[in-house]
Amino acid sequence: MTVGDQRILFHIPTTSLFDLDGVSGDVLDLFKELGEVSRADVEARFEGRHSPDDILAVVEDFLEMDIITGDGPDFDKNLRPDFPPVKIENYPLSTIILNVNTGCNLGCTYCYKEDLTTPAKGELMGLDTAKKSIDLLLKEGASRDRVNVVFFGGEPLSNMPLIKGAVAYAEERCAALGKKVDFSLTTNATLLTEDIIDYLNAHKFGIAISMDGPKAVHDKNRKTIGGKGTYDVVAKKARMLLDRYSARPVGARVTLTAGVTDVEAIHAHLKYDLGFAEVGFAPVTSGDISLFNLSNTELHEVFENMKSLGLAYRDAALRGENTGFSNMHQLMTDLYEGTKKALPCGAGIGLLAVDHAGDLNLCHRFTGSDIDTYGSVDTGIKKKELGAFLEGRADREGTWCDTCRIRNLCSGGCYHESYATYDDINKPTYHYCDLMRDWIDFGIRVYSEILRENPGYFERHVSPRTLLQTQRSYTSLERGI
């Protein structure tokens, strides 16, 4: 890849980036061209151009990085062996998601939950189940210094008594064990009051608000059960929260459906008109109701618009500023930290979701589905069954992931996307492959430009961001794009 006048090597096994000088670029080109390279080939190509010592140093570096080998001609094949077969025996949980009420006071048309119902008629989690969930988290996450308890729904604020009871219990248990505990929730904001905001602030909740953009866009799908648009009340409550809340930055999560592709205008409204710290986008391509799924043309348009927004992110980063475009910021974080994943996310290992009955689900999106659960808070994790699933998903042999250059960033994509698209949780999300490769290639270029012109940006805005936009670790598509 070339960025400006500089050639960049993306090292697939380690998700690392390297500048190529003239010698290393020429040596790489020779191996790519011939596959198997002899001493005579090197002499014929480089005699009089590069010194033998310089060539030897590059070859030794490439051998150490497994870019080339000393005993195989297949250059591409030598890029492939990133992970040995994965054997999963430990489940060091860091996060438990509590589905505190299946009911919701809204009737959003695209909601992936089936049998939508009012909070009063929803299936509420009991405090005993929440306490057992926290006990499971602390038992399985004994090696963790910090754990996370996430409240989800339905609308989680419709079960505030449960939230308060669970917070008190978690804080007491964690204090006794010398652990830190973080709390977070995703809410539609309509039930927020000053008292609730002050409570969440006192306990330093990470908060994400589901909001789809300006009034016309938001009201298209985010409606009351009676069919009335909710923008006015959500915007009012969001402003109240943003004015009053000081514990942590507040993010907005946007669901993109058919006919909604203008991410730049949505971001501008939520970030600059309302004042959210970050805005993340989740395109719908495989919902149960096809009417709301983005068409292939619309999906391509979304990605092109996201790249335009990404260029604005780059320009701001060169000035030392962060625009709060969380999809782009997450990609910058992954590249900066050298993220290398055998699995798409922490679901099943670092994270489990508990439904109202106490059953353990891979993540919050599987609660209420027909996918097998993996134990319960009463009986513990079904480690044999869960391990078999995860090990199978980590095995890339026979899949397109096996040779894909972004395999260690994507790792086959979201489990729920696979389930919704193919009715097969084990199948990688092939419908996203080309777009994901293009998005990550774009991100590498942006990252390289920022790193070259303003490297201090990453220390100021990437390293300290662990408490920002807390939902990212388990929200399905935000992790992917």
Side-chain angles (χ1 to χ4, degrees):
M1 177 184 296
T2 300
V3 179
D5 58 358
Q6 178 64 54
R7 290 187 67 183
I8 304 294
L9 171 67
F10 177 50
H11 188 235
I12 296 171
T14 61
T15 316
S16 301
L17 295 168
F18 300 92
D19 287 338
L20 292 177
D21 60 17
V23 181
S24 55
D26 287 346
V27 171
L28 185 65
D29 289 340
L30 178 64
F31 275 88
K32 290 178 70 175
E33 179 183 330
L34 300 182
E36 185 173 4
V37 176
S38 67
R39 182 187 183 94
D41 294 324
V42 173
E43 291 176 348
R45 177 68 65 91
F46 300 130
E47 188 172 5
R49 293 175 55 194
H50 302 306
S51 74
D53 287 343
D54 288 345
I55 295 170
L56 179 61
V58 170
V59 169
E60 288 176 344
D61 286 343
F62 283 178
L63 285 168
E64 184 177 353
M65 295 166 65
D66 286 329
I67 293 174
I68 61 175
T69 67
D71 55 4
D74 190 340
F75 179 81
D76 287 332
K77 184 177 181 180
N78 292 334
L79 289 175
R80 289 171 53 186
D82 308 324
F83 289 97
V86 174
K87 182 67 175 176
I88 299 173
E89 297 176 339
N90 297 313
Y91 300 82
L93 292 182
S94 65
T95 302
I96 202 79
I97 304 175
L98 305 182
N99 193 300
V100 302
N101 189 359
T102 61
C104 183
N105 60 319
L106 299 188
C108 301
T109 53
Y110 52 57
C111 186
Y112 64 89
K113 295 289 187 180
E114 298 179 1
D115 301 325
L116 292 174
T117 187
T118 63
K121 295 182 179 180
E123 295 172 316
L124 276 68
M125 176 177 287
L127 182 57
D128 184 59
T129 298
K131 289 181 176 180
K132 291 179 180 178
S133 302
I134 292 165
D135 289 340
L136 178 72
L137 170 65
L138 295 176
K139 175 185 175 183
E140 298 295 341
S143 62
R144 306 278 192 178
D145 295 326
R146 194 177 207 108
V147 294
N148 308 284
V149 179
V150 181
F151 300 98
F152 216 81
E155 171 48 48
L157 296 183
S158 65
N159 196 357
M160 278 301 298
L162 181 283
I163 291 176
K164 290 181 177 181
V167 166
Y169 184 75
E171 288 178 338
E172 179 183 357
R173 291 278 285 114
C174 288
L177 294 171
K179 294 181 183 290
K180 300 292 186 181
V181 58
D182 293 314
F183 304 105
S184 61
L185 60 81
T186 296
T187 175
N188 62 38
T190 59
L191 299 180
L192 285 171
T193 65
E194 290 184 352
D195 287 344
I196 289 177
I197 292 171
D198 292 344
Y199 172 82
L200 299 176
N201 200 39
H203 295 276
K204 297 180 173 57
F205 269 66
I207 300 175
I209 290 181
S210 299
M211 194 170 186
D212 288 351
K215 182 177 176 65
V217 176
H218 180 92
D219 284 350
K220 181 179 180 181
N221 294 306
R222 298 195 65 82
K223 303 175 183 293
T224 65
I225 291 175
K228 183 180 179 180
T230 61
Y231 175 85
D232 291 338
V233 65
V234 172
K236 179 180 179 181
K237 294 297 183 77
R239 287 190 176 98
M240 179 176 67
L241 173 69
L242 293 167
D243 287 343
R244 198 174 184 92
Y245 204 74
S246 60
R248 291 161 70 172
V250 178
R253 182 185 183 279
V254 178
T255 301
L256 298 173
T257 54
V260 181
T261 61
D262 192 353
V263 297
E264 293 178 272
I266 294 171
H267 175 271
H269 178 70
L270 296 176
K271 170 67 176 175
Y272 301 113
D273 293 342
L274 293 183
F276 285 101
E278 282 199 349
V279 181
F281 296 89
V284 174
T285 62
S286 54
D288 292 334
I289 305 175
S290 60
L291 175 66
F292 301 110
N293 294 341
L294 291 160
S295 68
N296 188 57
T297 299
E298 288 173 330
L299 188 59
H300 279 77
E301 185 177 348
V302 165
F303 272 80
E304 288 303 313
N305 291 339
M306 289 180 68
K307 287 196 289 185
S308 295
L309 194 54
L311 292 176
Y313 174 97
R314 177 204 61 188
D315 294 343
L318 296 179
R319 299 191 302 269
E321 303 167 3
N322 179 9
T323 66
F325 176 23
S326 68
N327 304 76
M328 192 69 186
H329 205 62
Q330 181 61 48
L331 180 52
M332 295 300 99
T333 301
D334 286 340
L335 293 172
Y336 182 71
E337 295 179 348
T339 297
K340 178 184 176 183
K341 301 186 297 182
L343 292 164
C345 65
I349 300 179
L351 172 155
L352 286 169
V354 184
D355 59 32
H356 74 283
D359 292 327
L360 303 177
N361 301 260
L362 274 178
C363 77
H364 62 293
R365 296 197 72 181
F366 285 108
T367 57
S369 74
D370 58 2
I371 291 295
D372 290 340
T373 55
Y374 292 98
S376 74
V377 295
D378 290 310
T379 60
I381 302 171
K382 291 182 178 178
K383 296 183 177 181
K384 180 179 179 180
E385 292 83 354
L386 182 55
F389 163 71
L390 294 171
E391 289 167 12
R393 186 62 189 262
D395 183 1
R396 297 166 176 168
E397 186 174 356
T399 71
W400 294 350
C401 303
D402 192 20
T403 55
C404 179
R405 64 180 178 274
I406 67 167
R407 57 187 175 270
N408 291 338
L409 285 168
C410 171
S411 296
C414 169
Y415 302 132
H416 193 270
E417 275 292 295
S418 298
Y419 167 68
T421 304
Y422 306 109
D423 198 28
D424 183 356
I425 196 172
N426 294 288
K427 188 172 183 177
T429 53
Y430 291 136
H431 62 298
Y432 260 0
C433 290
D434 290 339
L435 288 172
M436 284 298 301
R437 280 189 286 266
D438 183 59
W439 172 247
I440 290 177
D441 287 348
F442 169 76
I444 290 172
R445 290 187 174 90
V446 169
Y447 175 82
S448 300
E449 292 178 26
I450 299 172
L451 188 64
R452 182 170 296 109
E453 298 183 37
N454 187 14
Y457 172 82
F458 295 105
E459 292 182 6
R460 290 191 299 272
H461 293 284
V462 174
S463 296
R465 73 185 305 268
T466 54
L467 294 183
L468 193 58
Q469 189 67 352
T470 57
Q471 302 305 101
R472 182 169 296 101
S473 64
Y474 54 85
T475 299
S476 61
L477 285 177
E478 286 185 17
R479 187 63 184 172
I481 62 169

